[in-house]
Amino acid sequence: MSVIAIVLEGRVAQPQALLKFHKALGLSLQSVRDSWMHGDPVVELEIFEGDYQQKSKDIRSVLNIIVEEDLGAKFYEIPFGDRYAGNQKLKTWEVDAALVVSILDAADKEIERQLDG
């Protein structure tokens, strides 16, 4: 089980980026802005607990916005039970966007396999 955390870097971008995150995640504009400004995750989801399809969609939406808006971000795959805030091991769990996509793609294939079998 993994927690995927995405932290936006740099100064807060143009309002259209905030608006895209707001629409994609259903978070308030202020919440997105505050997370961005304080270096907190805009997304921190345990991807295999609960509604995987929605969580996968949310993470992919954030990844797309980051690319569309040419934003800097850091990505973490944090073990289940751990959190981003105040964690001393974050460097250990830092990954890149390609690995996040690979995790989601592998999970999609496994879910499909289970549904077909």
Side-chain angles (χ1 to χ4, degrees):
M1 304 296 166
S2 297
V3 174
I4 300 296
I6 302 174
V7 179
L8 300 172
E9 294 186 301
R11 54 189 206 95
V12 176
Q14 297 296 322
Q16 76 267 6
L18 289 172
L19 205 53
K20 286 180 181 181
F21 287 119
H22 159 73
K23 287 180 181 176
L25 299 171
L27 300 172
S28 71
L29 291 170
Q30 188 65 44
S31 174
V32 174
R33 186 177 177 280
D34 287 349
S35 293
W36 197 336
M37 285 179 57
H38 296 116
D40 295 328
V42 69
V43 167
E44 185 172 9
L45 298 170
E46 171 29 78
I47 59 175
F48 300 115
E49 186 174 84
D51 187 356
Y52 167 77
Q53 298 295 346
Q54 184 60 49
K55 291 175 182 180
S56 173
K57 179 183 170 198
D58 290 346
I59 293 168
R60 289 179 195 278
S61 293
V62 169
L63 292 170
N64 288 337
I65 295 166
I66 289 168
V67 169
E68 288 171 4
E69 296 294 324
D70 194 27
L71 303 173
K74 287 192 175 186
F75 307 90
Y76 301 91
E77 182 188 13
I78 302 170
F80 180 75
D82 282 309
R83 303 301 291 169
Y84 177 88
N87 202 307
Q88 300 294 327
K89 299 179 185 176
L90 283 177
K91 262 302 196 209
T92 305
W93 300 323
E94 189 171 347
V95 296
D96 61 16
L99 183 59
V100 173
V101 170
S102 294
I103 291 167
L104 297 175
D105 288 347
D108 289 347
K109 287 178 186 172
E110 178 59 19
I111 288 171
E112 248 180 69
R113 185 189 68 77
Q114 289 178 11
L115 291 175
D116 289 344

